[in-house]
Amino acid sequence: MAEVQRTFVAIKPDGVQRGLVGEIVSRFEKRGLKLVGMKFMQVTKELAETHYGEHKGKPFFEGLVGFITSGPVVAMVWEGKDAIAIARNTIGATNPAAAAPGTIRGDFAIEIGRNIVHGSDGPESATREIGIFFSTGELADNWNRTVQCWVSE
Ligand code: IDP
Ligand code: MG
């Protein structure tokens, strides 16, 4: 039986600027994940450098930090069975040029530096990323998504 997980997803500044917030949120809702956290916010340089710490030193790091701080983002936490992998395959491959049609990146983006959405890549990064973007009081998990019995056995 798949484990119930939480994952961190963010709509990056390009997704916000292009008016794709509703479309992207809708895809996670329709897939069957439960929303437990959401905020519209400006990412600081410090938060961006912490969030993307694993990429420090890579040639695209400075550009990535500049991009992610260039406008507001929508930070979210989604919950469900296997939520981390489910969110990643809803998002699609890192390079949109190689992302399958039907995925968010495959449908709305064409290059890696403007790939619209972020999703945690494993349980440790999910815990870490949720923790740096949200305090526990900001997560609203005391609700029943009543359609859940039609999504999961
Ligand atoms: P992911 O977002 O699919 O997990 P990562 O390899 O963790 O992909 O890279 C984090 C982010 O860094 C990517 O989503 C993308 O925005 C950016 N990035 C990764 N590689 C490149 C690159 O070669 N050029 C420009 N940006 C890149
Ligand atoms: Mg990553």
Side-chain angles (χ1 to χ4, degrees):
M1 194 89 129
E3 185 197 350
V4 174
Q5 299 175 325
R6 286 180 180 181
T7 189
F8 175 72
V9 172
I11 304 172
K12 299 180 182 184
D14 51 345
V16 172
Q17 292 285 359
R18 292 178 54 196
L20 294 171
V21 171
E23 170 74 41
I24 292 168
V25 171
S26 179
R27 289 190 176 213
F28 292 100
E29 283 186 308
K30 288 181 198 159
R31 187 82 196 264
L33 296 176
K34 174 186 168 184
L35 184 64
V36 297
M38 175 182 253
K39 61 182 169 183
F40 186 56
M41 60 180 284
Q42 176 65 48
V43 175
T44 63
K45 186 165 186 277
E46 189 189 21
L47 178 57
E49 286 175 348
T50 304
H51 173 67
Y52 282 126
E54 66 172 302
H55 298 298
K56 200 169 166 64
K58 294 184 185 169
F60 61 83
F61 182 73
E62 298 302 328
L64 176 59
V65 169
F67 165 56
I68 217 72
T69 57
S70 66
V73 306
V74 179
M76 298 174 281
V77 179
W78 291 92
E79 185 182 279
K81 281 186 193 169
D82 259 336
I84 296 169
I86 299 243
R88 290 280 289 191
N89 65 34
T90 295
I91 290 167
T94 302
N95 185 350
T103 65
I104 295 168
R105 287 167 173 166
D107 286 348
F108 300 116
I110 53 174
E111 60 180 76
I112 196 164
R114 296 289 182 271
N115 64 1
I116 297 201
V117 59
H118 167 85
S120 305
D121 65 5
E124 277 153 36
S125 56
T127 302
R128 187 181 78 84
E129 292 167 1
I130 292 167
I132 64 173
F133 277 87
F134 289 91
S135 60
T136 43
E138 289 175 320
L139 298 178
D141 55 1
N142 56 341
W143 69 291
N144 258 332
R145 196 172 188 261
T146 53
V147 298
Q148 219 58 28
C149 62
W150 302 105
V151 173
S152 287
E153 290 187 67

mmCIF file of all heavy atoms in Angstrom, residues 12 52 54-55 60 64 67 88 92-94 105 112-113 115 117-119 121, ligand 1:
data_model
loop_
_atom_site.group_PDB
_atom_site.id
_atom_site.type_symbol
_atom_site.label_atom_id
_atom_site.label_comp_id
_atom_site.label_asym_id
_atom_site.label_seq_id
_atom_site.Cartn_x
_atom_site.Cartn_y
_atom_site.Cartn_z
ATOM 1 N N LYS A 12 6.445 28.894 -10.132
ATOM 2 C CA LYS A 12 7.550 29.846 -10.224
ATOM 3 C C LYS A 12 7.066 31.167 -10.853
ATOM 4 O O LYS A 12 5.941 31.236 -11.391
ATOM 5 C CB LYS A 12 8.680 29.221 -11.056
ATOM 6 C CG LYS A 12 9.250 27.933 -10.440
ATOM 7 C CD LYS A 12 10.374 27.356 -11.302
ATOM 8 C CE LYS A 12 10.901 26.060 -10.724
ATOM 9 N NZ LYS A 12 12.064 25.538 -11.501
ATOM 10 N N TYR A 52 17.484 26.106 -3.022
ATOM 11 C CA TYR A 52 18.246 25.497 -4.109
ATOM 12 C C TYR A 52 19.707 25.215 -3.720
ATOM 13 O O TYR A 52 20.572 25.125 -4.596
ATOM 14 C CB TYR A 52 18.194 26.397 -5.349
ATOM 15 C CG TYR A 52 16.885 26.288 -6.118
ATOM 16 C CD1 TYR A 52 16.123 27.425 -6.404
ATOM 17 C CD2 TYR A 52 16.423 25.054 -6.587
ATOM 18 C CE1 TYR A 52 14.929 27.327 -7.126
ATOM 19 C CE2 TYR A 52 15.236 24.961 -7.303
ATOM 20 C CZ TYR A 52 14.494 26.086 -7.575
ATOM 21 O OH TYR A 52 13.319 25.985 -8.294
ATOM 22 N N GLU A 54 21.379 22.644 -3.015
ATOM 23 C CA GLU A 54 22.062 21.512 -3.677
ATOM 24 C C GLU A 54 22.689 21.923 -5.017
ATOM 25 O O GLU A 54 23.557 21.219 -5.540
ATOM 26 C CB GLU A 54 21.074 20.347 -3.907
ATOM 27 C CG GLU A 54 19.977 20.688 -4.894
ATOM 28 C CD GLU A 54 19.080 19.500 -5.293
ATOM 29 O OE1 GLU A 54 19.595 18.500 -5.804
ATOM 30 O OE2 GLU A 54 17.851 19.609 -5.097
ATOM 31 N N HIS A 55 22.227 23.047 -5.588
ATOM 32 C CA HIS A 55 22.741 23.468 -6.902
ATOM 33 C C HIS A 55 23.802 24.560 -6.801
ATOM 34 O O HIS A 55 24.291 25.050 -7.818
ATOM 35 C CB HIS A 55 21.588 23.948 -7.788
ATOM 36 C CG HIS A 55 20.579 22.881 -8.069
ATOM 37 N ND1 HIS A 55 20.891 21.728 -8.738
ATOM 38 C CD2 HIS A 55 19.254 22.776 -7.744
ATOM 39 C CE1 HIS A 55 19.804 20.946 -8.822
ATOM 40 N NE2 HIS A 55 18.808 21.571 -8.219
ATOM 41 N N PHE A 60 24.308 27.461 -13.559
ATOM 42 C CA PHE A 60 23.003 28.125 -13.645
ATOM 43 C C PHE A 60 22.508 28.663 -12.310
ATOM 44 O O PHE A 60 21.427 29.250 -12.252
ATOM 45 C CB PHE A 60 21.971 27.166 -14.253
ATOM 46 C CG PHE A 60 21.734 25.898 -13.459
ATOM 47 C CD1 PHE A 60 20.853 25.878 -12.384
ATOM 48 C CD2 PHE A 60 22.407 24.714 -13.788
ATOM 49 C CE1 PHE A 60 20.641 24.714 -11.652
ATOM 50 C CE2 PHE A 60 22.194 23.548 -13.057
ATOM 51 C CZ PHE A 60 21.312 23.553 -11.989
ATOM 52 N N LEU A 64 19.329 31.059 -11.611
ATOM 53 C CA LEU A 64 18.166 30.409 -11.003
ATOM 54 C C LEU A 64 17.661 31.215 -9.801
ATOM 55 O O LEU A 64 16.457 31.446 -9.658
ATOM 56 C CB LEU A 64 18.561 28.980 -10.587
ATOM 57 C CG LEU A 64 17.532 28.143 -9.837
ATOM 58 C CD1 LEU A 64 16.256 27.960 -10.658
ATOM 59 C CD2 LEU A 64 18.124 26.774 -9.481
ATOM 60 N N PHE A 67 16.058 34.341 -11.065
ATOM 61 C CA PHE A 67 14.749 34.030 -11.665
ATOM 62 C C PHE A 67 13.685 33.793 -10.594
ATOM 63 O O PHE A 67 12.589 34.356 -10.637
ATOM 64 C CB PHE A 67 14.910 32.803 -12.568
ATOM 65 C CG PHE A 67 13.635 32.131 -12.974
ATOM 66 C CD1 PHE A 67 12.623 32.836 -13.608
ATOM 67 C CD2 PHE A 67 13.444 30.777 -12.725
ATOM 68 C CE1 PHE A 67 11.436 32.203 -13.983
ATOM 69 C CE2 PHE A 67 12.273 30.135 -13.095
ATOM 70 C CZ PHE A 67 11.260 30.856 -13.710
ATOM 71 N N ARG A 88 5.603 14.922 -9.127
ATOM 72 C CA ARG A 88 6.709 15.005 -10.090
ATOM 73 C C ARG A 88 6.257 14.556 -11.491
ATOM 74 O O ARG A 88 6.634 15.159 -12.486
ATOM 75 C CB ARG A 88 7.896 14.130 -9.647
ATOM 76 C CG ARG A 88 8.645 14.638 -8.434
ATOM 77 C CD ARG A 88 9.622 15.737 -8.727
ATOM 78 N NE ARG A 88 10.798 15.332 -9.460
ATOM 79 C CZ ARG A 88 11.863 16.116 -9.619
ATOM 80 N NH1 ARG A 88 11.894 17.352 -9.105
ATOM 81 N NH2 ARG A 88 12.892 15.705 -10.313
ATOM 82 N N GLY A 92 6.295 16.832 -14.857
ATOM 83 C CA GLY A 92 7.057 16.463 -16.048
ATOM 84 C C GLY A 92 8.554 16.680 -15.899
ATOM 85 O O GLY A 92 9.026 17.205 -14.896
ATOM 86 N N ALA A 93 9.283 16.291 -16.927
ATOM 87 C CA ALA A 93 10.754 16.333 -16.892
ATOM 88 C C ALA A 93 11.277 17.750 -16.689
ATOM 89 O O ALA A 93 10.662 18.723 -17.144
ATOM 90 C CB ALA A 93 11.300 15.751 -18.188
ATOM 91 N N THR A 94 12.439 17.835 -16.028
ATOM 92 C CA THR A 94 13.053 19.131 -15.705
ATOM 93 C C THR A 94 13.195 20.012 -16.944
ATOM 94 O O THR A 94 12.897 21.204 -16.907
ATOM 95 C CB THR A 94 14.440 18.908 -15.056
ATOM 96 O OG1 THR A 94 14.261 18.107 -13.891
ATOM 97 C CG2 THR A 94 15.098 20.218 -14.688
ATOM 98 N N ARG A 105 4.944 20.872 -17.550
ATOM 99 C CA ARG A 105 6.066 21.419 -18.334
ATOM 100 C C ARG A 105 5.939 21.065 -19.813
ATOM 101 O O ARG A 105 6.295 21.872 -20.686
ATOM 102 C CB ARG A 105 7.399 20.916 -17.762
ATOM 103 C CG ARG A 105 7.757 21.586 -16.416
ATOM 104 C CD ARG A 105 8.887 20.854 -15.729
ATOM 105 N NE ARG A 105 9.383 21.524 -14.526
ATOM 106 C CZ ARG A 105 10.174 20.952 -13.633
ATOM 107 N NH1 ARG A 105 10.555 19.697 -13.801
ATOM 108 N NH2 ARG A 105 10.581 21.621 -12.574
ATOM 109 N N ILE A 112 14.518 24.934 -20.054
ATOM 110 C CA ILE A 112 14.800 24.533 -18.681
ATOM 111 C C ILE A 112 14.837 25.709 -17.695
ATOM 112 O O ILE A 112 14.450 25.571 -16.542
ATOM 113 C CB ILE A 112 16.116 23.697 -18.636
ATOM 114 C CG1 ILE A 112 16.234 22.928 -17.315
ATOM 115 C CG2 ILE A 112 17.342 24.560 -18.903
ATOM 116 C CD1 ILE A 112 17.268 21.818 -17.352
ATOM 117 N N GLY A 113 15.287 26.863 -18.179
ATOM 118 C CA GLY A 113 15.381 28.026 -17.286
ATOM 119 C C GLY A 113 14.038 28.712 -17.030
ATOM 120 O O GLY A 113 13.960 29.665 -16.248
ATOM 121 N N ASN A 115 10.799 26.794 -16.452
ATOM 122 C CA ASN A 115 10.016 25.538 -16.449
ATOM 123 C C ASN A 115 8.836 25.552 -15.482
ATOM 124 O O ASN A 115 8.325 24.516 -15.074
ATOM 125 C CB ASN A 115 10.933 24.316 -16.268
ATOM 126 C CG ASN A 115 11.639 24.293 -14.936
ATOM 127 O OD1 ASN A 115 11.447 25.173 -14.102
ATOM 128 N ND2 ASN A 115 12.457 23.282 -14.724
ATOM 129 N N VAL A 117 7.263 25.339 -12.782
ATOM 130 C CA VAL A 117 6.815 24.752 -11.520
ATOM 131 C C VAL A 117 7.929 23.928 -10.885
ATOM 132 O O VAL A 117 8.807 23.407 -11.579
ATOM 133 C CB VAL A 117 5.485 23.975 -11.758
ATOM 134 C CG1 VAL A 117 5.651 22.891 -12.759
ATOM 135 C CG2 VAL A 117 4.856 23.453 -10.480
ATOM 136 N N HIS A 118 7.906 23.903 -9.565
ATOM 137 C CA HIS A 118 8.862 23.106 -8.794
ATOM 138 C C HIS A 118 8.118 22.008 -8.056
ATOM 139 O O HIS A 118 7.011 22.228 -7.567
ATOM 140 C CB HIS A 118 9.577 23.993 -7.759
ATOM 141 C CG HIS A 118 10.346 23.186 -6.738
ATOM 142 N ND1 HIS A 118 11.621 22.734 -6.956
ATOM 143 C CD2 HIS A 118 9.973 22.689 -5.528
ATOM 144 C CE1 HIS A 118 12.015 22.013 -5.905
ATOM 145 N NE2 HIS A 118 11.033 21.975 -5.018
ATOM 146 N N GLY A 119 8.738 20.848 -7.915
ATOM 147 C CA GLY A 119 8.196 19.796 -7.040
ATOM 148 C C GLY A 119 9.326 19.077 -6.336
ATOM 149 O O GLY A 119 10.358 18.786 -6.950
ATOM 150 N N ASP A 121 11.832 16.358 -4.852
ATOM 151 C CA ASP A 121 12.263 15.149 -5.555
ATOM 152 C C ASP A 121 12.362 13.908 -4.667
ATOM 153 O O ASP A 121 12.745 12.845 -5.141
ATOM 154 C CB ASP A 121 13.582 15.399 -6.299
ATOM 155 C CG ASP A 121 14.745 15.685 -5.363
ATOM 156 O OD1 ASP A 121 14.577 15.598 -4.127
ATOM 157 O OD2 ASP A 121 15.834 15.998 -5.873
HETATM 158 P P1 IDP B 1 13.762 19.881 -10.901
HETATM 159 O O1 IDP B 1 13.186 21.268 -10.741
HETATM 160 O O2 IDP B 1 13.061 19.124 -11.979
HETATM 161 O O3 IDP B 1 13.858 19.125 -9.603
HETATM 162 P P2 IDP B 1 16.649 20.296 -10.706
HETATM 163 O O4 IDP B 1 17.683 19.498 -11.417
HETATM 164 O O5 IDP B 1 16.501 20.085 -9.231
HETATM 165 O O6 IDP B 1 15.262 20.065 -11.441
HETATM 166 O O7 IDP B 1 16.957 21.816 -10.978
HETATM 167 C C1 IDP B 1 16.283 22.818 -10.258
HETATM 168 C C2 IDP B 1 15.894 23.922 -11.194
HETATM 169 O O8 IDP B 1 17.070 24.576 -11.662
HETATM 170 C C3 IDP B 1 15.173 23.484 -12.459
HETATM 171 O O9 IDP B 1 13.795 23.291 -12.263
HETATM 172 C C4 IDP B 1 15.446 24.654 -13.378
HETATM 173 O O10 IDP B 1 14.593 25.754 -13.060
HETATM 174 C C5 IDP B 1 16.853 25.040 -12.980
HETATM 175 N N1 IDP B 1 17.863 24.426 -13.840
HETATM 176 C C6 IDP B 1 18.344 23.156 -13.759
HETATM 177 N N2 IDP B 1 19.258 22.927 -14.710
HETATM 178 C C7 IDP B 1 19.357 24.083 -15.414
HETATM 179 C C8 IDP B 1 20.142 24.509 -16.536
HETATM 180 O O11 IDP B 1 20.939 23.759 -17.089
HETATM 181 N N3 IDP B 1 19.945 25.793 -16.967
HETATM 182 C C9 IDP B 1 19.064 26.654 -16.376
HETATM 183 N N4 IDP B 1 18.315 26.295 -15.316
HETATM 184 C C10 IDP B 1 18.462 25.034 -14.843
#
